Every structure is written in C-alpha cells, then in structure tokens.
Amino acid sequence: MSQNLDVRVAQGIARGVRERGIEAWRNLPYAEAPIGPLRFKAPRPPVPWAGVRDASEFGPVPWQSLQGHFVGASKKQTMSEDCLTLNVLRPAGSVGGGLPVMLFIHGGAYAVGSSAEYPRNGEALVRDGGIVYVSINYRLSALGYLDFTRFSTPERAFDSNLGLRDQVAALEWVRANIAAFGGDPNNVTVFGESAGGNAVTTLMATPAAHGLFAKAIAQSAPTNAIYPPEQTHRWADEFVAFLADRIEPGGVETTSVDDAGDLLARADASDLVEAAVSLTLLAPDRDPGTIALCPVIDGDFLPERPLKAFKHGRAARIPLIIGTNDREGSLFTGRLDILATTPPRIRAIFSRTKKKARKAIKAEYPGLPDKRPAADFAGDYAFWYPTVKVAERHSRYAPVHFYRFDIAPRLVRQLGFDATHGLELFALFDRMNGWFGRAMGALGGRRAFMRTGDRMRRHWIDFARSGQVAGWPEYDEETRATMIFDKTDRVENDPRSARRVAWQEFVPHV
C-alpha cells in the first residue's frame, strides 16, 4: 500500500487504497458514535484515534428493517448505531488541490440505504470529471427520522431532526477536512435522490447548513414531505404504542412521558426499526399523502417549511439543478405502495380542494383511479408538482436548471414502469454493467440509456465545477425551460403546462 494514501484529518491519520484508477478512504467517522446516552441526541464532533486508521473497507450501515416497505441493506452487512461515517474518492495520482467536491446523500424513504448500498457509486464521476466524491451514512428510521421531543424531560432530552443534523455534521467535516484529499472546501456540491433529494432541499432551508455547500442537485425529491410538530407528535405516540407491544405485548405501560422515554432509551435498535415499519404501513391510509419518516418543522434547527423558505428567499441562494423522472409513481406498487395510489387515499386528497379544481385535475389523469393514472397522480403529487414549486420560487433568487428524465430500457417499458422513480441513478452512476443493469437492458435500449447517462453525468460534473451547464437554459416562471433527458436530449418550454396549471388550482397551499 502506497504511503501517499496516508491522509491526515483532524482526528488522525487514515490509510486508503488504490483500486480501478480511484483512491478511496472509507469508514471515516464524521461524528461521535450516537450510542448509549447519545442515542436520540444531536451529533457530536468525532473522537480522535491513535496511530493509522485502516480506511480500506466500508463501515457498518445504519440500522434498518430487512422486511419493511423498502429493503436496503443486505443480510451480510453489519448494522450498527455506530454508523456516522463517510467515504471519500478521488482520481488516482491526484496532485495538488482545488478539485470540485460532490457529496451524495442516498435515498430510501429515510428508512433504508447506506453509502455502501452500491459500492462503486461515484467512480464514474471521479474518473470522468476529476472530482472528489463523498458519500455519507446518516441515522435512519426511528433513530433518525421520528420526532420524540415530546418525551423530553429535564433529565432526558430528545433532540429533533437527527438525520438532518447528521448531514450538517458531515458537511462540517468536509469543510474542515476535504482539502487534505485535494478537494476545494469552497466548491462543494451536495446532491441526492428521493429522500436524499428531500435532504438537499431541506438543507437549503436549514440555517446551520448555509455556507457549507456552494451548489445543489435535487433528484426526484418529495420536497413537501416535511411536517409540523402536531403531526409528528401524534406519530411519536403511535410509534411508542407499536414499540411497547413489540417488546412486551400487553405488558408495558407507556402512559407517561417518563415511561415512553425509558422505553425508547432501552429498546434494541432492531425493535425500533421494526416498530417504525408498523408506523409507515399505517401512515399512508391514516394520513394519505404523507410519509411518516421525515424531517419536522421544529422552529429551531428547521424553522419553517422549506417551500416557504424558497418562496421568501430564505433558502440558501445558490445554483440548483432540480427535476424528476417521467413516471415517478409507477414504482410504488405492492410492497412499495406508500403513495396516494388507492381510491380511499385519492378521495382523501381530493376532499382537501374545491370541486372545480378536482374536475380539472381528473382531466389530466383519464381513468383515475385505475392503476396507471393513479400511479401518475400519486407520483406527481409527491414528487413532480412540489419540485416545480421549488424551481419557480428559487429561480427568483438564484440560477435554476430544471429537468425531466424520460428514457428507459425496453424491458422496463414493457413491464409498465417506464422512466420510474430511481431509474436515473443507473444512468448517472453508470450501473448498467451490473447484473441488474444488464437484465434491464436484455431486450434492448441499454446502449442508448448508457449514452444518456454519459451526457447527464457530464452536465452534473460541469455544474459541480462552475455552476453552469452548456446548452441548458436557466428556468424561470415565464419560459420554464426544461431539459428532457432521452435518446436525444432536448429543451422544452413548460412541458405539460395544462397539468401544471391544474395542479396550481388543486393544491394552492403548496
């Protein structure tokens, strides 16, 4: 192992590895392990280590369920509450510094996933773009995205927005240490997909994160999945009931704040994440259109709804790429059905608006509530329309580039998914050479899909370098220029304008 892979960071010396033209450092702690009395507490600075730390392998992944709505971790991966680590990749043989930095936040409904879920993520960006790539773990499920502050007492405090605070702590670590890896701490682009996209837009509205990154990319973000305390406190009560019944059916009293706090403190992490599955199964029908594991508007760390911050220019005024895939909702069927896809859920959402607006929106989804139009309605409600609102509001204060990802391999189209939620990750991260990518391309369309990924990746790299993208006009409320990623990329002004206008009347509060 080459000595030049020893890098000194604030906590000590880390020894990386060289592989496939990439130099990698993995499992670097950016915060103290949130275990014991630090469970449900805001992250603290990492503890220094003695000697040289082996940074060649990924660390444990955050605790998550292996049988819930989503399945992220492999049974072979070690799960631990001691998971607040990140990974750094750079081009092999890098000399000097000043490289642009791209920090990726993984998705997974804030319930599953990790920085090791796809171990080779980022390598194509590093090789093609000469950038420094950072990927992070953060607390998930009940350990990171349920609000237990109502159970706080003078003796035991529960902090809010733990996963969001973890992401800020990771960005702070990058600001302090990334120059040691050749990265420019003043040129950090944060990007993420799905829940990771929600994290990006939420970080832009989080005062503690301002100044820690210079540009942002939000892919398929459910940007409005942020809830007030009156909602999150009710979910906390329901969660504790599920947890109590799981630990000792019929035998655990949780009627007081102290009882609930004791239960949360002593519960096994596995019981916490499995109880969260019960809650997330309940939420789509109890509260249609919501996702139970999400940030909370706590009035402090996250002072307001991000959409409100974007409206009034209080979000970080930095360049933004934002967009969605053509048919986001088609993925959410069967075990993954957490969106407003069923007739009762759709009726509940329709009850919140006026009859004229309901009629206009139904005209945009002929056949509703049949399966295909229901999936498109639900996907647009959760992902596309809130994304439009972020783009138009942020464009008043900073440059915005808006996109829609339309291409899909032939087999994916024949199965009825089309360009569904998460598909662009296979293009962007050059995943089509893996077994799943090759299976998707078995009936054709693989090469065209990969070429689109090459072009998309080049745009992301150019944006990370300079904040600009060639041939892609900025978005504004007059022209609404949108890059359509397809076999042949094109720019369209205000695609699906009639649908956008119908949504404006349907959910004017967004």
Side-chain angles (χ1 to χ4, degrees), residues 265-382:
R266 64 182 171 84
D268 288 340
S270 59
D271 288 324
L272 290 169
V273 298
E274 296 304 337
V277 171
S278 299
L279 179 67
T280 56
L281 286 168
L282 175 71
D285 294 309
R286 176 77 63 83
D287 303 293
T290 66
I291 304 169
L293 300 174
C294 273
V296 55
I297 305 163
D298 58 17
D300 177 21
F301 198 75
L302 183 59
E304 59 186 335
R305 269 201 328 153
L307 277 170
K308 185 177 180 181
F310 282 107
K311 181 177 182 179
H312 296 289
R314 290 190 286 268
R317 297 186 180 188
I318 59 175
L320 171 68
I321 288 177
I322 191 168
T324 59
N325 294 355
D326 180 36
R327 297 194 61 226
E328 293 281 356
S330 63
L331 180 69
F332 295 91
T333 60
R335 181 173 55 83
L336 303 182
D337 188 9
I338 63 171
L339 301 185
T341 53
T342 67
R345 297 176 191 176
I346 294 170
R347 284 196 299 269
I349 290 175
F350 271 60
S351 69
R352 304 171 194 169
T353 192
K354 296 178 181 178
K355 184 176 181 180
K356 183 179 179 181
R358 294 199 296 269
K359 185 176 180 180
I361 204 74
K362 285 180 180 178
E364 293 299 315
Y365 304 91
L368 195 69
D370 291 346
K371 182 178 179 180
R372 183 182 177 95
D376 290 337
F377 168 83
D380 287 356
Y381 180 83

Side-chain angles (χ1 to χ4, degrees), residues 63-65 70-73 106-114 117 138 140-141:
W63 268 101
Q64 52 201 274
S65 174
F70 303 94
V71 177
H106 71 80
Y110 289 134
V112 301
S114 75
E117 186 174 3
Y138 54 93
L140 300 172
S141 189

Side-chain angles (χ1 to χ4, degrees), residues 176-228:
N177 293 285
I178 204 63
F181 299 89
D184 182 353
N186 295 311
N187 190 14
V188 175
T189 299
V190 63
F191 72 124
E193 184 269 344
S194 192
N198 176 280
V200 169
T201 54
T202 305
L203 285 165
M204 291 178 70
T206 301
H210 289 183
L212 295 177
F213 54 103
K215 296 176 285 293
I217 304 173
Q219 301 170 209
S220 301
T223 59
N224 205 32
I226 313 284
Y227 305 107

